[in-house]
């Protein structure tokens, strides 16, 4: 800080501030961000901030991308408004997608039910109670055909929240597109394909790390040649944050995951610039507006530097962190659900001020059940209002230069780098997960936060303060429990009508391929999918060959 | 010596959102109970087998996928089949108001929804626990 | 006793209840254990000890699988510490063995040490007897510990496995002296990690330079990866061979008698102490005595002698 400012600050503290504090003490002893980072009373210009502006912030669309990945940001094109949806049968979800596209949504985002995410068919005993619950049930290519019927796959971009069986669902998507006459080089979209955060926070893993990483590499390699417009992974901090991490932990662990994927792909001989441009990220947007905006800015800067310095990327695209954002489901309250609309608005603003490429806004009733059509519309409208009425989209990186936000960006960067370094020292992310380290760090943060809420140190409006007696809304959208029977019947029909010998041959070939590490499994999976082998059958073959992962949390 | 109260915290179903379950487990430990945590993706069968082997007084179920109407009552049923209906079952998670009554009728003795303070869970346990002294 | 019938018949609920009875020191405990006594002596008891995170529970999980494949019934007692402040505990060992939860031939019981220092709870000793009487062929007892603190598990087990992992070389050096006594089998787990070979060599060296008590059996070293399920067959073979050898050489009998000796002495002390407390109303008078000693009004040894004389007068005849 400049000497003159420093002196003036001392003067101000003595002559003005202290008097006021004596008469009117502040509301709290200490102020902290939503992630428990200390917040000072006042931020002033930092001494160094001027000197290294070019190095730390630079220009939008230029390294290190702190101010954004495009030169014009939302003045050029608004972010993609992408609402995550899917429930029940493929037929029902198909209807919802068409509705959303009609309402002005610009991309599809598919939610799958848990059996699909863990590679079980709807008729598997473990699927009891889960079919169609948190997303759409997909058992075979047949369901996928229904899911996208009447939706031209050359016109939309589709994001699929699928991880352990991502390769299989991608294969199904390619197959449907080709049946529509859309060649694979023209389809656009994303598979989440991020297994590390499943081990860390989300829990829908199937195989152990080594074969899982191989499957991911297989999709990287396959897509770089055949599906060039496809984003092969969405490295996700969203669920890490939902599990209770801090903002720093969210980006630190996500970037550490990213490092692991890059290293892994390079170890199989892929050139970094061959795949890194198709890596994308996925973050959470919480309520602490400034901390969140700073978080995205810090994340971009860290990633750019790591890609350049650690992995010697040469292409600009390889260094750009492009990310999708979703507002924080964990901040929604079942109490006074209308308040959630306001929370989502603040979170939307945080994501936009942080320079997101696409956004999903949660619906106010998501803490209770599946969102109704009305509440989904309000959620989408929230984005549209921020886009067209708030003015936040009119200039690039509007918060830059705020003493507070810049300092917060620097601090988050520094703390995240400390975590990343620590994980590298442990031998990388897979090791850190196996040791339960990352899970434990998140668990501790979650516990601290919850304790603070319980003690009333942290206020959650409508939950531990400003509560009212209220009638619960009824008539929320529910999935029909008989849905499982519908899916089971479909599976039976498929199994009766398909050519059984073709299925057997395809599965046998897949099994042989799985046993040989040098084989890319994508073409073999495509064959099986085309033969109408079910998701459970395909995964089953891989389970036999790869084994299953076991939870490695430390309590 | 007072009999220590033992509680199994279990996650039936396929969802991996264990934030709530882990919080409850840890908070109950801090409240002085013995808590047995079994991890995610437990079947009703394994939850019940665990409850019996561990001779717990309570089973707390946490579920966020919406499969509670199927899976919670199944746990109660199986406990009954095993002659262990004295073990008290409670649940938590994203559970709509209208599901609570039917679940209670099926023997789930309490449902704690997001935002419930841990003290409410502890009060419940204290009011129901066995008080066999040595 | 009704419960005894249940236990001997292998009823899960009865066994579980009985473990709670010993754990909580509830009424009927002594009678229960006496009734069970004739039914015990058939099970083999394996202790698994080592530092937290070494892979003890995962190893137990693998060994359960091995034993089950031979048709044996297995019980696992997993002991974790209680919080010294709240008395609560979060027991997570069974998380690693949960795939066996529904196998009727496997019984897993988590136990909190309940403030008992040294890791293992006294109740674990009694629980072993219950599982033994209930017909479990193999009983594994998992407990945290490394170094000389962990003596009790030796007393409770027929064979003790000390689980070590790469990255703790210094600790091995530090426990040189005690290492001989702790384990019968040294399991170098996480052999999938670098440094495992080196650790094995270190353990071998320490064993070589340690003084070997006469006639005690040879210690074994085994490398495993519980995660990848490698080395488990060998470990299992070593366990079985050792058992057969110890049986033949009489070492096992000696060990078990030594265990009884300890147990009986402990019981004697415990009971005598209880008796003394009652007879001399120690609890009620302690404060007064302390006050007297503190103020130099009472000489401690003289005081004790007088008290003992009083006692003897009353109880020692002739
Ligand atoms: N890499 C590796 N990890 C292991 C091995 N055995 C156990 N683990 C992991 O180490 C962690 C602790 O294991 P656990 O059995 O709970 O250890 P305990 O505390 O000694 O009972 C878990 O995450 C296990 O998955 C092994 O052989 N190799
Ligand atoms: Mg353990």
């Amino acid at each position: 800080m400049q000497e003159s400012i420093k002196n003036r600050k001392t003067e101000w503290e003595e002559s003005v501030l202290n008097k006021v504090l004596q008469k009117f003490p502040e509301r709290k002893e200490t102020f902290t961000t939503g992630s428990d980072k200390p917040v000072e009373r006042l931020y002033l210009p930092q001494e160094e901030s001027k000197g290294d502006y070019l190095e730390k912030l630079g220009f939008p669309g230029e390294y290190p991308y702190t101010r954004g990945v495009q030169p014009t940001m939302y003045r050029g094109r608004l972010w993609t408004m992408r609402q995550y949806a899917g429930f029940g049968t493929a037929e029902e979800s198909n209807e919802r997608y068409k509705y959303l596209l009609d309402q002005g949504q610009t991309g599809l985002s598919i939610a799958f039910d848990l059996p699909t995410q863990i590679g079980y068919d709807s008729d598997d005993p473990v699927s009891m109670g889960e079919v169609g619950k948190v997303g759409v049930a997909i058992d075979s290519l047949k369901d996928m055909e229904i899911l996208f019927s009447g939706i031209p796959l050359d016109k939309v971009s589709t994001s699929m929240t699928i991880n352990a069986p991502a390769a299989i669902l991608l294969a199904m998507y390619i197959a449907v597109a080709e049946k529509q006459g859309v060649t694979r080089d023209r389809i656009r979209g994303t598979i989440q394909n991020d297994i590390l955060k499943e081990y860390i926070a989300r829990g829908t893993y199937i195989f152990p790390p080594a074969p899982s990483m191989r499957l991911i590499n297989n999709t990287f390699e396959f897509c770089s040649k055949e599906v060039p417009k496809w984003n092969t992974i969405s490295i996700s901090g969203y669920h890490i944050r939902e599990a209770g991490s801090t903002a720093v932990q969210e980006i630190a662990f996500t970037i550490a995951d990213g490092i692991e994927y890059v290293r892994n792909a390079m170890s199989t001989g892929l050139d970094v610039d061959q795949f890194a441009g198709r890596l994308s990220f996925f973050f959470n947007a919480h309520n602490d507006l400034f901390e969140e905006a700073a978080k995205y800015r810090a994340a971009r800067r860290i990633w750019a530097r790591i890609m350049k310095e650690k992995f010697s990327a040469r292409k600009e695209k390889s260094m750009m962190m492009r990310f999708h954002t979703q507002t924080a489901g964990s901040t929604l309250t079942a109490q006074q659900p209308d308040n959630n609309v306001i929370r989502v608005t603040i979170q939307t603003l945080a994501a936009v001020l942080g320079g997101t490429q696409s956004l999903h806004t949660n619906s106010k009733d998501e803490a209770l059940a599946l969102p109704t059509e009305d509440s989904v519309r309000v959620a989408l409208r929230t984005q549209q209002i921020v886009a067209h009425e708030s003015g936040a989209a009119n200039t690039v990186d509007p918060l830059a230069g705020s003493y507070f936000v810049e300092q917060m960006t620097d601090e988050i960067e520094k703390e995240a780098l400390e975590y990343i370094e620590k994980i590298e020292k442990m031998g990388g992310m897979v090791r850190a997960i196996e040791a339960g380290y990352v899970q434990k760090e998140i668990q501790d943060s979650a516990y601290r936060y919850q304790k603070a809420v319980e003690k009333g140190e942290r206020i959650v409006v409508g939950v531990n303060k400003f509560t009212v007696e209220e009638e619960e809304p009824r008539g929320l959208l529910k999935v029909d429990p008989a849905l499982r029977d519908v899916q089971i019947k479909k599976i039976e029909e498929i199994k009766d009508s398909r050519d059984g010998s073709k299925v057997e041959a395809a599965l046998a070939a897949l099994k042989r391929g799985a046993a040989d590490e040098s084989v890319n499994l994508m073409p073999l999976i495509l064959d099986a999918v085309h033969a109408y082998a079910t998701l459970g059958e395909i995964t089953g073959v891989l389970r036999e060959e790869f084994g299953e992962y076991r939870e490695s949390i430390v309590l | 010596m007072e009999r220590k109260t033992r509680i199994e915290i279990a996650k039936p179903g396929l969802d991996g959102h264990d934030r709530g379950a882990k919080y409850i487990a840890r908070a109950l430990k801090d409240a002085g109970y013995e808590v047995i945590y079994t991890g995610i993706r437990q079947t009703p069968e394994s939850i019940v087998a665990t409850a019996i082997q561990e001779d717990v007084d309570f089973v707390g179920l946490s579920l966020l996928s919406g499969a509670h109407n199927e899976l919670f009552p199944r746990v109660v049923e199986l406990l009954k089949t095993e002659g262990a209906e004295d073990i008290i079952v409670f649940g938590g998670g994203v559970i709509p108001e209208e599901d609570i009554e039917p679940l209670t009728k099926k023997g789930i003795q309490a449902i704690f929804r997001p935002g419930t303070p841990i003290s409410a869970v502890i009060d419940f346990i204290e009011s129901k626990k066995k008080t066999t002294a040595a | 006793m009704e419960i005894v019938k249940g236990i001997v018949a292998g009823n899960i609920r009865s066994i579980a209840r009985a473990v709670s009875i010993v754990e909580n020191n509830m009424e009927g405990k002594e009678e229960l254990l006496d009734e069970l006594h004739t039914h015990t002596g058939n099970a083999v008891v394996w202790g698994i000890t080592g530092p937290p995170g070494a892979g003890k529970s995962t190893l137990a999980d693998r060994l359960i699988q091995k034993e089950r494949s031979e048709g044996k019934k297995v019980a696992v007692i997993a002991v974790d510490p209680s919080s010294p402040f709240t008395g609560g505990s979060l027991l997570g060992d069974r998380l690693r063995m949960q795939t066996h939860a529904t196998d009727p031939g496997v019984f897993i019981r988590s136990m909190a040490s309940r403030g008992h220092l040294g890791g293992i709870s006294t109740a674990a000793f009694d629980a072993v007897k219950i599982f033994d009487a209930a017909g479990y062929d193999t009983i594994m007892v998992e407990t945290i510990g490394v170094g000389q603190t962990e003596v009790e598990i030796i007393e409770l087990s027929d064979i003790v496995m000390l689980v070590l992992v790469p990255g703790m070389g210094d600790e091995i050096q530090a426990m040189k002296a005690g290492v001989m006594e702790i384990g019968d089998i040294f399991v170098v787990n996480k052999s999938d990690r670098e440094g495992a070979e080196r650790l094995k060599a270190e353990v071998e060296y320490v064993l070589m330079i340690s003084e070997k008590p006469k006639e005690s059996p040879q210690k074994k070293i085994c490398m495993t990866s519980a995660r990848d399920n490698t080395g488990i067959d060998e470990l299992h073979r070593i366990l079985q061979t050792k058992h057969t050898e110890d049986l033949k050489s009489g070492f096992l009998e000696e060990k078990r008698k030594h265990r009884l000796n300890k147990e009986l002495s402990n019981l004697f002390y415990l009971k005598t102490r209880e008796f003394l407390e009652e007879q001399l109303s120690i609890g009620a008078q302690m404060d007064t005595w302390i006050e007297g000693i503190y103020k130099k009004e009472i000489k401690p040894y003289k005081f004790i002698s007088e008290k003992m004389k009083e006692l003897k007068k009353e109880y020692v005849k002739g």
Side-chain angles (χ1 to χ4, degrees), chain C residues 53 55-58 78 80 92-93 96-97 142 144:
Chain C
K56 300 179 293 297
S57 303
T58 316
D80 262 345
D93 290 317
R96 317 260 184 245
M97 311 174 215
E142 175 191 339
I144 292 176

Side-chain angles (χ1 to χ4, degrees), chain A residues 333 335-336 339 343 459-467:
Chain A
T333 63
Q335 298 81 354
Q336 304 176 39
N339 296 345
R343 293 191 176 97
I459 290 166
V460 182
V461 174
V463 174
N464 62 0
K465 207 162 184 183
F466 315 115
T467 53

Side-chain angles (χ1 to χ4, degrees), chain C residues 276 280 289 297-314:
Chain C
L276 276 181
L280 301 173
W289 298 337
E297 289 161 0
I298 300 177
K299 291 180 175 161
Y301 280 98
K302 191 159 166 252
F303 168 76
I304 293 289
S305 296
E306 272 164 20
K307 283 280 160 201
M308 292 307 291
K309 247 183 234 159
E310 257 176 58
L311 259 181
K312 282 179 192 162
K313 219 178 267 168
E314 198 157 332

Side-chain angles (χ1 to χ4, degrees), chain B residues 6 34-35 50 54-55, chain C residues 20 89 91 94 98 110 114:
Chain B
R6 288 165 68 87
E34 286 186 4
V35 182
T50 300
E54 298 285 359
D55 196 30
Chain C
S20 296
S89 50
L91 309 171
R94 84 172 283 140
Q98 209 41 7
S110 315
R114 300 201 179 163

Side-chain angles (χ1 to χ4, degrees), chain C residues 282-302:
Chain C
I282 293 180
Q285 299 198 66
M286 200 58 151
D287 283 350
T288 332
W289 298 337
I290 289 174
E291 199 61 26
I293 296 173
Y294 184 77
K295 290 187 176 151
K296 323 287 184 221
E297 289 161 0
I298 300 177
K299 291 180 175 161
Y301 280 98
K302 191 159 166 252

